[in-house]
Amino acid sequence: MSDNTTSNNPGKMHFMLWSTPLRTTFFQDMTEEEGNIMHQHIAYWTDLQNQGIALVFGPVLNPKSPHGLAIIEVENAEQVSPLVTEDPAFIAGLLTAEFYPMKAVLPK
């Protein structure tokens, strides 16, 4: 078993990001403007994935508590907050976000 100190990326840190939409029905009833911002949000996270920062991300379709989830890999904890605050959906106030360090188990 490996964790973030013995993974194939030594020196990297992992975090779990949890984003919560404004309302539980957001994914079903977003406006056109909100939809456009969410497309920017997806493009933003796709770019982070292409850079190797976002290992996985996407919506969690829990009808009682819909949210977004991302697992990221960074050099240091100071990198995390800007990744959240530069997200177009966060800037637009469509999502709130929190994040926590994670002892990630990665494939070899």
Side-chain angles (χ1 to χ4, degrees):
M1 183 167 117
S2 65
D3 65 22
N4 62 349
T5 60
T6 60
S7 74
N8 52 351
N9 291 321
K12 299 281 186 160
M13 300 179 72
H14 297 92
F15 287 82
M16 183 275 306
L17 283 65
W18 181 287
S19 60
T20 305
L22 295 177
R23 55 192 182 277
T24 58
T25 58
F26 182 75
F27 295 123
Q28 291 81 36
D29 65 5
M30 69 178 80
T31 66
E32 184 177 342
E33 180 181 353
E34 291 169 335
N36 290 335
I37 294 167
M38 291 308 290
H39 280 101
Q40 294 172 29
H41 165 77
I42 293 166
Y44 175 78
W45 283 97
T46 299
D47 183 52
L48 291 175
Q49 189 174 54
N50 291 337
Q51 293 177 49
I53 296 168
L55 302 180
V56 64
F57 71 94
V60 177
L61 305 176
N62 177 344
K64 293 182 183 177
S65 178
H67 57 277
L69 181 71
I71 307 299
I72 63 168
E73 182 176 80
V74 293
E75 300 288 332
N76 58 64
E78 291 75 30
Q79 291 177 286
V80 180
S81 188
L83 293 174
V84 172
T85 59
E86 293 171 9
D87 179 336
F90 182 85
I91 292 168
L94 298 182
L95 303 173
T96 60
E98 50 192 287
F99 54 88
Y100 303 96
M102 179 179 182
K103 293 232 179 229
V105 177
L106 303 173
K108 293 184 178 199

Short mmCIF file of all heavy atoms in Angstrom, two decimals, residues 26-27 30 33-43 89 94-95:
data_model
loop_
_atom_site.label_atom_id
_atom_site.label_comp_id
_atom_site.label_asym_id
_atom_site.label_seq_id
_atom_site.Cartn_x
_atom_site.Cartn_y
_atom_site.Cartn_z
N PHE A 26 -29.71 22.34 -8.47
CA PHE A 26 -28.88 23.09 -9.42
C PHE A 26 -28.61 22.34 -10.72
O PHE A 26 -28.74 22.90 -11.81
CB PHE A 26 -27.55 23.48 -8.76
CG PHE A 26 -26.64 24.28 -9.64
CD1 PHE A 26 -26.91 25.62 -9.89
CD2 PHE A 26 -25.53 23.71 -10.23
CE1 PHE A 26 -26.08 26.38 -10.70
CE2 PHE A 26 -24.69 24.45 -11.04
CZ PHE A 26 -24.97 25.80 -11.28
N PHE A 27 -28.25 21.06 -10.63
CA PHE A 27 -27.91 20.30 -11.83
C PHE A 27 -29.11 20.07 -12.74
O PHE A 27 -28.95 19.80 -13.92
CB PHE A 27 -27.23 18.98 -11.48
CG PHE A 27 -25.89 19.17 -10.80
CD1 PHE A 27 -25.66 18.61 -9.55
CD2 PHE A 27 -24.88 19.90 -11.39
CE1 PHE A 27 -24.43 18.79 -8.92
CE2 PHE A 27 -23.65 20.08 -10.77
CZ PHE A 27 -23.43 19.52 -9.52
N MET A 30 -30.44 24.60 -13.71
CA MET A 30 -29.56 25.77 -13.89
C MET A 30 -30.01 26.58 -15.10
O MET A 30 -30.55 26.05 -16.07
CB MET A 30 -28.09 25.35 -14.00
CG MET A 30 -27.70 24.60 -15.23
SD MET A 30 -25.92 24.21 -15.27
CE MET A 30 -25.86 22.77 -14.23
N GLU A 33 -27.24 31.00 -18.33
CA GLU A 33 -26.03 31.67 -17.88
C GLU A 33 -25.24 30.77 -16.92
O GLU A 33 -24.01 30.65 -17.04
CB GLU A 33 -26.37 32.99 -17.18
CG GLU A 33 -25.16 33.74 -16.68
CD GLU A 33 -25.50 35.04 -15.97
OE1 GLU A 33 -26.67 35.45 -15.96
OE2 GLU A 33 -24.57 35.63 -15.40
N GLU A 34 -25.93 30.13 -15.98
CA GLU A 34 -25.25 29.21 -15.07
C GLU A 34 -24.63 28.04 -15.84
O GLU A 34 -23.51 27.62 -15.54
CB GLU A 34 -26.23 28.69 -14.02
CG GLU A 34 -26.67 29.74 -13.03
CD GLU A 34 -27.83 29.31 -12.14
OE1 GLU A 34 -28.61 28.42 -12.55
OE2 GLU A 34 -27.95 29.87 -11.04
N GLY A 35 -25.34 27.54 -16.85
CA GLY A 35 -24.81 26.46 -17.68
C GLY A 35 -23.54 26.88 -18.40
O GLY A 35 -22.58 26.09 -18.49
N ASN A 36 -23.51 28.09 -18.90
CA ASN A 36 -22.30 28.60 -19.57
C ASN A 36 -21.12 28.68 -18.60
O ASN A 36 -20.00 28.32 -18.95
CB ASN A 36 -22.56 29.97 -20.19
CG ASN A 36 -23.49 29.90 -21.39
OD1 ASN A 36 -23.60 28.87 -22.04
ND2 ASN A 36 -24.17 31.00 -21.67
N ILE A 37 -21.39 29.12 -17.39
CA ILE A 37 -20.33 29.20 -16.38
C ILE A 37 -19.86 27.80 -16.01
O ILE A 37 -18.66 27.55 -15.84
CB ILE A 37 -20.80 29.99 -15.14
CG1 ILE A 37 -21.02 31.45 -15.53
CG2 ILE A 37 -19.80 29.87 -14.00
CD1 ILE A 37 -21.78 32.27 -14.51
N MET A 38 -20.79 26.85 -15.92
CA MET A 38 -20.41 25.48 -15.59
C MET A 38 -19.57 24.85 -16.71
O MET A 38 -18.67 24.06 -16.44
CB MET A 38 -21.64 24.63 -15.28
CG MET A 38 -22.33 25.03 -13.96
SD MET A 38 -21.21 25.11 -12.53
CE MET A 38 -20.87 23.36 -12.29
N HIS A 39 -19.82 25.23 -17.97
CA HIS A 39 -18.96 24.76 -19.06
C HIS A 39 -17.54 25.32 -18.88
O HIS A 39 -16.56 24.61 -19.13
CB HIS A 39 -19.54 25.16 -20.42
CG HIS A 39 -20.64 24.26 -20.86
ND1 HIS A 39 -21.96 24.60 -20.74
CD2 HIS A 39 -20.62 23.02 -21.41
CE1 HIS A 39 -22.70 23.61 -21.20
NE2 HIS A 39 -21.92 22.64 -21.60
N GLN A 40 -17.43 26.58 -18.43
CA GLN A 40 -16.11 27.16 -18.14
C GLN A 40 -15.46 26.42 -16.98
O GLN A 40 -14.24 26.18 -16.98
CB GLN A 40 -16.26 28.64 -17.81
CG GLN A 40 -16.73 29.50 -18.96
CD GLN A 40 -17.03 30.92 -18.51
OE1 GLN A 40 -16.45 31.43 -17.56
NE2 GLN A 40 -17.97 31.57 -19.19
N HIS A 41 -16.26 26.07 -15.98
CA HIS A 41 -15.79 25.31 -14.82
C HIS A 41 -15.20 23.97 -15.27
O HIS A 41 -14.10 23.59 -14.86
CB HIS A 41 -16.99 25.13 -13.87
CG HIS A 41 -16.83 24.10 -12.81
ND1 HIS A 41 -16.09 24.31 -11.66
CD2 HIS A 41 -17.38 22.86 -12.68
CE1 HIS A 41 -16.18 23.23 -10.89
NE2 HIS A 41 -16.95 22.34 -11.48
N ILE A 42 -15.91 23.26 -16.14
CA ILE A 42 -15.44 21.97 -16.64
C ILE A 42 -14.15 22.15 -17.45
O ILE A 42 -13.20 21.37 -17.30
CB ILE A 42 -16.53 21.27 -17.47
CG1 ILE A 42 -17.70 20.89 -16.55
CG2 ILE A 42 -15.98 20.05 -18.20
CD1 ILE A 42 -18.97 20.52 -17.30
N ALA A 43 -14.10 23.18 -18.28
CA ALA A 43 -12.89 23.44 -19.06
C ALA A 43 -11.71 23.75 -18.14
O ALA A 43 -10.57 23.30 -18.39
CB ALA A 43 -13.13 24.60 -20.03
N ALA A 89 -16.72 28.88 -11.64
CA ALA A 89 -17.98 28.66 -10.90
C ALA A 89 -17.89 29.22 -9.48
O ALA A 89 -18.86 29.74 -8.94
CB ALA A 89 -18.34 27.18 -10.87
N LEU A 94 -21.47 30.34 -7.85
CA LEU A 94 -22.36 29.19 -8.07
C LEU A 94 -22.04 28.03 -7.16
O LEU A 94 -22.89 27.17 -6.93
CB LEU A 94 -22.28 28.72 -9.53
CG LEU A 94 -22.70 29.73 -10.60
CD1 LEU A 94 -22.61 29.08 -11.97
CD2 LEU A 94 -24.10 30.24 -10.32
N LEU A 95 -20.81 27.97 -6.67
CA LEU A 95 -20.37 26.88 -5.82
C LEU A 95 -19.62 27.43 -4.61
O LEU A 95 -18.93 28.43 -4.72
CB LEU A 95 -19.40 25.96 -6.57
CG LEU A 95 -19.85 25.30 -7.85
CD1 LEU A 95 -18.68 24.58 -8.50
CD2 LEU A 95 -20.99 24.34 -7.59
#
